[in-house]
Amino acid sequence: AARMAAPTRQERAACWGARDEFWQCLDSHGDGAGECERLRRAFEARCPQQWVKHFDKRRDFLKYKKKLETEGYVPPEAAGKS
């Protein structure tokens, strides 16, 4: 696999900027919103693919953490009974 050269500072800034815009869109419109598709493409275009994967995982983790903080932990077996 071709190793990507380490991104320059400008490239990193562009990547993070694109990620932040994309995430903000998801936060306002909900994950998977069509409105964010264009920002998703910009994010993928500006960031190395490894980073895109990493940030996707990171976002899932942050959402999960936030959910735990707001709703508390619900064991899977308790979720069905209410």
Side-chain angles (χ1 to χ4, degrees):
R3 278 278 304 137
M4 264 202 56
T8 64
R9 238 164 89 185
Q10 283 97 333
E11 286 168 339
R12 281 201 304 268
C15 169
W16 290 331
R19 175 204 62 189
D20 292 346
E21 278 182 42
F22 173 54
W23 283 12
Q24 272 171 344
C25 181
L26 294 180
D27 289 343
S28 339
H29 298 285
D31 286 3
E35 293 94 326
C36 305
E37 200 48 48
R38 183 180 57 79
L39 294 170
R40 170 82 199 178
R41 284 197 296 274
F43 166 53
E44 288 177 353
R46 292 197 182 109
C47 298
Q49 206 189 352
Q50 293 310 109
W51 291 25
V52 171
K53 287 192 185 127
H54 167 77
F55 286 139
D56 284 348
K57 285 202 186 87
R58 174 122 187 97
R59 181 170 169 84
D60 287 343
F61 171 73
L62 292 172
K63 279 197 335 224
Y64 175 70
K65 227 175 77 171
K66 193 178 196 168
K67 193 174 162 174
L68 287 184
E69 285 162 9
T70 53
E71 298 169 22
Y73 177 70
V74 179
E77 64 275 10
K81 311 185 188 87
S82 52

